[in-house]
């Protein structure tokens, strides 16, 4: 989850003119991280299809995010994008009990 949030933060720095706002909480058995910034993602499949092989740099951050998280939700419109990441933590933080 840390790597996924780092990728989102890097995208905010790289592709927007303002700061982003990160929120983190738990929801039942999920760790939820949500980043909101001033960007606008035009491609509805961004992060769900691999970058073109001839593209040597960029275009892989959201793909990594989608690969690492159990659920990625993207809400975007001109001037605002919110990306919510969810990762199941059920049992991950509990001690091993035989």
């Amino acid at each position: 989850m840390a790597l996924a949030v780092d990728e989102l933060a890097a995208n905010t720095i790289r592709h927007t003119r303002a700061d982003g706002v990160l929120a983190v909480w738990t929801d039942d058995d999920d760790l939820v991280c949500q980043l909101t910034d001033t960007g606008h993602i035009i491609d509805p499949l961004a992060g769900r299809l691999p970058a073109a092989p001839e593209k040597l740099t960029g275009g892989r951050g959201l793909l990594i995010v989608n690969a690492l998280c159990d659920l990625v939700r993207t809400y975007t419109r001109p001037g605002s994008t919110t990306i919510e990441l969810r990762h199941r933590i059920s049992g991950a933080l509990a001690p091993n009990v035989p």
Side-chain angles (χ1 to χ4, degrees):
M1 186 64 106
L3 179 57
V5 170
D6 183 68
E7 286 294 333
L8 290 184
N11 282 349
T12 294
I13 293 167
R14 198 172 292 125
H15 300 292
T16 70
R17 295 183 183 162
D19 295 336
V21 176
L22 177 66
V24 180
W25 68 92
T26 57
D27 180 21
D28 293 327
D29 293 334
D30 291 343
L31 174 62
V32 183
C33 297
Q34 177 177 287
L35 186 83
T36 300
D37 63 30
T38 59
H40 180 212
I41 299 173
I42 297 169
D43 180 1
L45 295 177
R48 289 175 172 69
L49 297 175
E54 63 274 5
K55 187 172 183 179
L56 299 178
T57 61
R60 291 167 181 82
L62 288 177
L63 190 66
I64 291 168
V65 168
N66 277 280
L68 293 174
C69 297
D70 293 325
L71 178 64
V72 178
R73 292 180 175 150
T74 302
Y75 308 94
T76 188
R77 64 179 194 272
S80 178
T81 292
T82 298
I83 299 180
E84 177 185 298
L85 312 177
R86 287 181 173 262
H87 190 74
R88 182 62 47 121
I89 57 172
S90 177
L93 301 178
N96 291 333
V97 179

